[in-house]
């Protein structure tokens, strides 16, 4: 089994010299288990970038700084199949929801039509 990792290469140019770049990197260990029991140990990560420009009259430390936050909690994804009973329960819930909404719409139409007919009869009598 081949596993491909996607990496993104970014280029940019900073017009103002002597700025401070800060990267806050959060890493979460992750295990993915497929339906056949094959495990892939990997990491999820997120990066937040912060740029601080130099202030006039104040000293600032130019550079690039990396701050790592390694999570002590491991995330586990496990692929499973839903049982046939679970599938049938979902189908019954969907069908029941359709009947309920259809009943509400039918009730609105029936009572609206009844009220309109009553108004028209009152208008004809007067």
């Amino acid at each position: 089994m081949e596993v491909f990792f996607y990496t993104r290469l970014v280029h940019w140019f900073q017009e103002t010299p002597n700025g401070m770049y800060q990267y806050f990197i959060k890493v979460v260990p992750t295990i993915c288990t497929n339906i056949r029991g094959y495990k892939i140990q990997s990491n999820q990560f997120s990066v937040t970038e912060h740029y601080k420009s130099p202030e006039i009259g104040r000293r600032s430390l130019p550079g690039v700084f990396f701050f790592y936050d390694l999570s002590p909690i491991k995330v586990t994804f496990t692929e499973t199949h839903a049982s046939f009973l679970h599938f049938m329960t979902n189908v019954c819930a969907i069908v029941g929801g359709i009947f309920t909404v259809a009943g509400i719409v039918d009730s609105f139409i029936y009572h609206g039509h009844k009220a309109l007919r009553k108004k028209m009869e009152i208008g004809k009598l007067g």
Side-chain angles (χ1 to χ4, degrees):
M1 176 179 212
E2 292 183 11
V3 178
F4 297 99
F5 294 99
Y6 173 75
T7 58
R8 188 175 83 164
L9 185 60
V10 178
H11 294 278
W12 73 93
F13 299 97
Q14 184 61 38
E15 300 292 329
T16 310
N18 301 330
M20 180 178 17
Y21 289 93
Q22 295 176 326
Y23 294 95
F24 299 93
I25 304 165
K26 295 183 181 190
V27 181
V28 178
T30 305
I31 295 178
C32 297
T33 307
N34 69 3
I35 199 74
R36 295 187 179 109
Y38 181 75
K39 290 186 180 183
I40 298 173
Q41 293 191 5
S42 182
N43 293 301
Q44 296 182 58
F45 66 93
S46 65
V47 178
T48 304
E49 173 188 340
H50 180 70
Y51 173 74
K52 188 174 183 181
S53 60
E55 296 177 15
I56 298 173
R58 289 192 66 193
R59 287 187 158 185
S60 63
L61 186 62
V64 178
F65 300 92
F66 297 94
F67 301 96
Y68 287 94
D69 181 18
L70 303 174
S71 175
I73 299 172
K74 184 184 290 187
V75 176
T76 303
F77 293 107
T78 305
E79 183 181 20
T80 58
H81 284 298
S83 67
F84 182 72
L85 186 61
H86 186 262
F87 170 74
M88 288 306 297
T89 304
N90 285 343
V91 169
C92 290
I94 291 169
V95 171
I98 291 171
F99 273 110
T100 302
V101 171
I104 291 170
V105 170
D106 180 55
S107 176
F108 278 133
I109 291 172
Y110 175 76
H111 290 294
H113 181 52
K114 191 175 177 182
L116 264 167
R117 197 166 5 146
K118 197 177 235 186
K119 261 189 177 179
M120 291 175 74
E121 286 177 7
I122 292 173
K124 286 181 183 177
L125 294 175

